[in-house]
Amino acid sequence: MTYNIRWAPFSLGIVSPGWRYLVSEERNGYLVLISLLLWNSFRFIAKPCAINLGIQDSGPHRAQPNAILEKVFTSITKSPDGKRLEGLSKQLDWDVRKIQRWFRHRRNQDKPTTLTKFCESMWRFTFYLSIFFYGIRFLWTAPWFWDTRQCWYNYPFQPLTSRLYYYYILELAFYWSLMFSQFTDIKRKDFLIMFVHHLATIGLITFSYMNNMVRVGTLVLCLHDASDFLLEAAKLANYAKYQRLCDAFFMLFGVVFIVTRLGIYPFWILNTTLFESWELIGPYPSWWLFNGLLITLQILHIIWSYLIIRTAYKALVRGKVSKDDRSDVESSSEEEDVTSNNTKGVFSTSSNGSNRINGHVASGQWTEEE
């Protein structure tokens, strides 16, 4: 809050009530629960769609039971080096290639199937698309959408309308649901990275809400949602093996991402949070922290944009997107074959099994992601 301002004078329901209202409101917990329930029920809708598109509901080839190799896999290493492979070969009287194949199959057992990833992406695509259009419709009539100086007039005594409140809380509930679902879904390689990412997002949304910076916060949310649903659309096309559609969505995603994150974000968002707010209300303790987080986000935007441009360049050279440098970290559910030279699809697994973008590490099949 600005100097000499406290939450006590605020009247609940008229202006932003701060963290006490955010924590105590039972509706917030209900929204998180509803998001989780919607995700679980959405699978029943997405699964038939995936099957109609030819995506099989079959898991990877399972490794044959072996107590010795299972103990090594669970207790020592999932990818044994040459020396350990030789030792296991002598102990089991197995060929080294056979042991390598066993570990490859065993690793694939813990990876989500393409059907599972399709359902997850379809849920995220539906949410991102819906919340983006809701945000556009809401902001179209908001004065601060057309004049960002309105974000700071009479700050922090600004009304918190129900539409603004639900827009903010829906976004917050969605990211809470993503974080909680990590503990119930198949554990991925990127578990910790995605956990930190979701936690940081939740922290930024909560911090801006607590300090009644929700007006500029809605601009940031809507701007970021503008490209996210295109990325999920590209993933859906990839899982369904529509290569050209996948490439088209990825290219469109790259253009929208770069325009919004490197153009609109710094010249529209950072301009108002750094300069217009300084002019109208002056700096205060939380102002420095809020802008520090937004500048950090801009640095990430630059890094991710570089990775996307690199991916697009490779796509133009090779004729297809071979790697998504901004896709979520996802492991390929299909059996890896070290002797294969062909990698097909926009999400083709890289040689080391991992891709990077968007602050996440991706091991899916896009040649690397926020």
Side-chain angles (χ1 to χ4, degrees):
M1 272 310 204
T2 54
Y3 292 113
N4 301 320
I5 298 295
R6 297 293 182 269
W7 289 119
F10 292 160
S11 173
L12 301 186
I14 299 177
V15 293
S16 179
W19 69 270
R20 292 182 180 85
Y21 187 62
L22 183 65
V23 173
S24 63
E25 264 292 304
E26 293 183 0
R27 286 180 294 181
N28 302 342
Y30 292 147
L31 285 171
V32 175
L33 180 60
I34 290 171
S35 295
L36 289 171
L37 292 175
L38 283 175
W39 156 233
N40 284 302
S41 61
F42 196 79
R43 300 186 188 194
F44 295 104
I45 302 174
K47 187 174 179 179
C49 293
I51 294 175
N52 287 333
L53 290 171
I55 300 174
Q56 300 299 317
D57 186 14
S58 58
H61 181 85
R62 300 186 68 84
Q64 68 181 86
N66 187 292
I68 295 175
L69 295 181
E70 184 67 26
K71 184 176 181 180
V72 173
F73 183 87
T74 56
S75 305
I76 302 175
T77 178
K78 293 178 172 57
S79 301
D81 55 22
K83 185 177 180 180
R84 191 176 297 279
L85 286 171
E86 290 291 342
L88 291 171
S89 177
K90 294 177 182 179
Q91 183 178 359
L92 297 172
D93 195 24
W94 280 16
D95 182 77
V96 171
R97 292 293 298 276
K98 184 178 180 180
I99 297 175
Q100 287 179 321
R101 191 178 303 112
W102 187 95
F103 275 95
R104 189 163 61 248
H105 290 167
R106 182 63 183 83
R107 287 193 298 270
N108 284 340
Q109 288 180 204
D110 295 334
K111 296 176 181 179
T113 64
T114 302
L115 180 63
T116 299
K117 292 190 289 185
F118 181 92
C119 294
E120 291 178 355
S121 287
M122 192 169 179
W123 160 241
R124 289 196 294 266
F125 168 79
T126 302
F127 176 83
Y128 287 137
L129 182 64
S130 302
I131 201 69
F132 172 68
F133 281 107
Y134 176 87
I136 287 293
R137 183 179 178 183
F138 164 69
L139 289 172
W140 197 261
T141 58
W144 61 89
F145 183 72
W146 306 102
D147 178 12
T148 52
R149 297 172 68 88
Q150 293 285 341
C151 292
W152 314 108
Y153 289 148
N154 200 35
Y155 177 83
F157 300 101
Q158 296 173 337
L160 180 69
T161 64
S162 59
R163 292 179 65 194
L164 193 157
Y165 169 80
Y166 282 113
Y167 180 39
Y168 233 71
I169 296 304
L170 279 172
E171 292 271 14
L172 182 61
F174 176 70
Y175 282 103
W176 271 114
S177 70
L178 288 183
M179 190 169 71
F180 286 141
S181 64
Q182 284 190 294
F183 297 95
T184 58
D185 291 338
I186 298 172
K187 193 169 184 179
R188 308 272 181 82
K189 286 182 181 180
D190 64 329
F191 175 85
L192 181 59
I193 295 174
M194 292 304 296
F195 180 81
V196 173
H197 172 265
H198 296 328
L199 197 62
T201 303
I202 290 168
L204 191 56
I205 294 175
T206 304
F207 177 79
S208 61
Y209 182 91
M210 288 166 53
N211 286 272
N212 202 22
M213 295 176 173
V214 290
R215 289 188 175 183
V216 71
T218 56
L219 301 179
V220 175
L221 289 172
C222 188
L223 190 67
H224 283 73
D225 290 336
S227 60
D228 287 341
F229 71 90
L230 294 171
L231 177 61
E232 298 304 328
K235 291 182 181 180
L236 291 173
N238 171 72
Y239 298 145
K241 301 188 184 303
Y242 289 106
Q243 180 68 42
R244 291 190 177 182
L245 184 61
C246 176
D247 293 349
F249 271 126
F250 179 75
M251 292 301 180
L252 180 60
F253 156 76
V255 171
V256 174
F257 184 93
I258 291 171
V259 169
T260 55
R261 310 295 175 93
L262 298 188
I264 299 177
Y265 181 84
F267 293 104
W268 192 42
I269 301 297
L270 292 183
N271 176 66
T272 190
T273 60
L274 287 171
F275 303 111
E276 292 179 349
S277 64
W278 182 292
E279 176 187 345
L280 294 173
I281 61 176
Y284 49 94
S286 60
W287 181 94
W288 295 100
L289 177 58
F290 185 63
N291 278 287
L293 292 172
L294 292 177
I295 292 173
T296 301
L297 191 58
Q298 178 59 36
I299 295 173
L300 292 175
H301 290 163
I302 295 172
I303 296 172
W304 299 333
S305 296
Y306 163 74
L307 295 175
I308 292 171
I309 293 172
R310 188 176 69 177
T311 298
Y313 173 76
K314 291 179 181 179
L316 293 174
V317 173
R318 300 175 184 177
K320 67 178 181 179
V321 181
S322 58
K323 210 174 190 181
D324 170 24
D325 286 337
R326 191 197 167 276
S327 61
D328 292 333
V329 184
E330 294 181 350
S331 299
S332 172
S333 60
E334 300 177 4
E335 178 183 347
E336 303 171 52
D337 189 347
V338 294
T339 63
S340 174
N341 294 321
N342 296 323
T343 53
K344 299 180 180 180
V346 176
F347 288 83
S348 298
T349 307
S350 60
S351 59
N352 63 356
S354 65
N355 306 322
R356 297 184 181 275
I357 299 185
N358 195 44
H360 317 316
V361 183
S363 61
Q365 295 202 320
W366 226 350
T367 303
E368 288 192 60
E369 173 185 8
E370 183 175 305

